[in-house]
Amino acid sequence: MADTALVLTGSPSLAPLLARGALLSPFKRPAPGAPFPRARLVLPGLRVDLARLAAYERVCGFPTGEDALPPTYPHVLGFPLAMRLMSSRDFPLPLLGLVHTSITITRHGPMPATGTYELSVHIEKLAPHRRGTQATVVTEVRGEGRTVWESSSTYLARHRTRQPAEAPREEVRGPLPAVAEWRLAGDVGRRYGAASGDRNPIHLHPLTARLFGFPRAIAHGMWTIARCLAAHGTPDSCHVRAEFRAPVLLPGTVTYAAEDGRFELRGRQDRIHVTGDVYPT
């Protein structure tokens, strides 16, 4: 749990944070037992930019013009605070190459887009992973004195481990029935980056993506989950769990599949990109 609260007067700018994190990455020494920032960043009096929200809704497939935040939008609001923590000198994992592996979201009720909120973000823990070290980042949104939304994201820094853990045993499930085929344009990463502020170069252009080992630009993981939830639908009070299994190359074609509260995004030869569950709370 965070030791101290640091109250901010505004949301940090992402571009310099990403640049600082990139510059510091070669000097990081990731390890599960390494010290990490214990502060909880708090941003009170937050109001949503409705024009930016509408751009986000359009690129993700949510309906526009409603006085309601999509279930994934608070993650966008909290991302600059998370980046401030993860790009700091005392965060032991390198920002370059850090992989978003999962997210859980709990929405406790409707969230008006015109509301005023308090946002807080902290790093909960570091933990060993069979491929390196994983950080858990917790985001919480409060409105009218109560928690209205919260999430927990895991980010993996890959490195050699002395005693690799065994691969987790996964529940064997059959493939979900296909619902739709989506043809993704090459500019999805740029459009989502403009709406969310996350302009990581791996998402923007084939040339910059190749610098990090990808043959083409890849879609943002949070875009894929948002697009799935836009198609699936979510009740006002709900719990969402999603895992990012494999990158989605742009341009490309994927299959959205769903049944009851489960959904997934599949690529060629039924390669799984995203799996998830949604259920009311």
Side-chain angles (χ1 to χ4, degrees):
M1 189 60 161
D3 293 339
T4 59
L6 176 60
V7 179
L8 307 180
T9 58
S11 184
S13 177
L14 270 174
L17 295 178
L18 291 171
R20 181 177 70 178
L23 290 173
L24 292 174
S25 287
F27 305 101
K28 298 299 181 76
R29 297 294 180 265
F36 59 89
R38 298 286 181 172
R40 179 169 61 94
L41 301 184
V42 180
L43 180 60
L46 175 66
R47 301 294 300 271
V48 174
D49 182 330
L50 298 181
R52 184 179 172 192
L53 171 62
Y56 176 88
E57 291 169 333
R58 284 191 294 269
V59 72
C60 295
F62 292 107
T64 59
E66 298 183 357
D67 188 19
L69 294 182
T72 47
Y73 197 67
H75 175 87
V76 172
L77 299 175
F79 190 64
L81 279 68
M83 283 298 100
R84 174 162 169 171
L85 292 172
M86 292 193 290
S87 66
S88 65
R89 290 183 180 275
D90 51 350
F91 182 68
L93 309 187
L95 197 60
L96 286 181
L98 203 62
V99 179
H100 194 181
T101 54
S102 73
I103 186 169
T104 61
I105 295 171
T106 302
R107 184 169 63 180
H108 298 282
M111 298 180 66
T114 52
T116 301
Y117 300 100
E118 179 185 273
L119 184 69
S120 69
V121 177
H122 70 274
I123 298 169
E124 184 176 67
K125 63 180 179 180
L126 299 183
H129 186 279
R130 70 185 189 280
R131 294 181 178 174
T133 299
Q134 189 166 262
T136 299
V137 179
V138 174
T139 302
E140 182 180 276
V141 181
R142 296 177 62 83
E144 298 183 350
R146 62 185 180 88
T147 299
V148 294
W149 187 97
E150 53 194 318
S151 75
S152 177
S153 281
T154 56
Y155 295 90
L156 173 64
R158 298 184 182 187
H159 60 86
R160 291 183 178 181
T161 58
R162 293 182 179 178
Q163 296 179 337
E166 294 183 1
R169 295 181 179 179
E170 298 181 359
E171 180 183 354
V172 178
R173 295 180 173 183
L176 297 176
V179 175
E181 185 177 87
W182 297 335
R183 295 184 178 180
L184 310 181
D187 67 345
V188 165
R190 292 189 290 275
R191 291 194 294 126
Y192 182 84
S196 67
D198 182 1
R199 292 183 171 87
N200 188 316
I202 63 175
H203 304 301
L204 304 182
H205 194 276
L207 292 178
T208 52
R210 287 186 195 124
L211 296 175
F212 297 92
F214 298 100
R216 303 196 300 274
I218 65 172
H220 294 71
M222 285 305 299
W223 178 84
T224 62
I225 176 65
R227 184 67 185 88
C228 287
L229 292 178
H232 189 281
T234 54
D236 287 339
S237 299
C238 63
H239 183 78
V240 177
R241 178 205 60 84
E243 293 183 2
F244 308 108
R245 300 287 188 87
V248 175
L249 297 177
L250 300 172
T253 301
V254 293
T255 298
Y256 166 69
E259 187 173 53
D260 299 327
R262 296 170 53 205
F263 62 86
E264 64 187 19
L265 206 59
R266 300 195 296 259
R268 291 182 177 180
Q269 300 178 338
D270 286 335
R271 186 186 191 193
I272 301 296
H273 295 291
V274 177
T275 64
D277 301 273
V278 182
Y279 54 86
T281 57

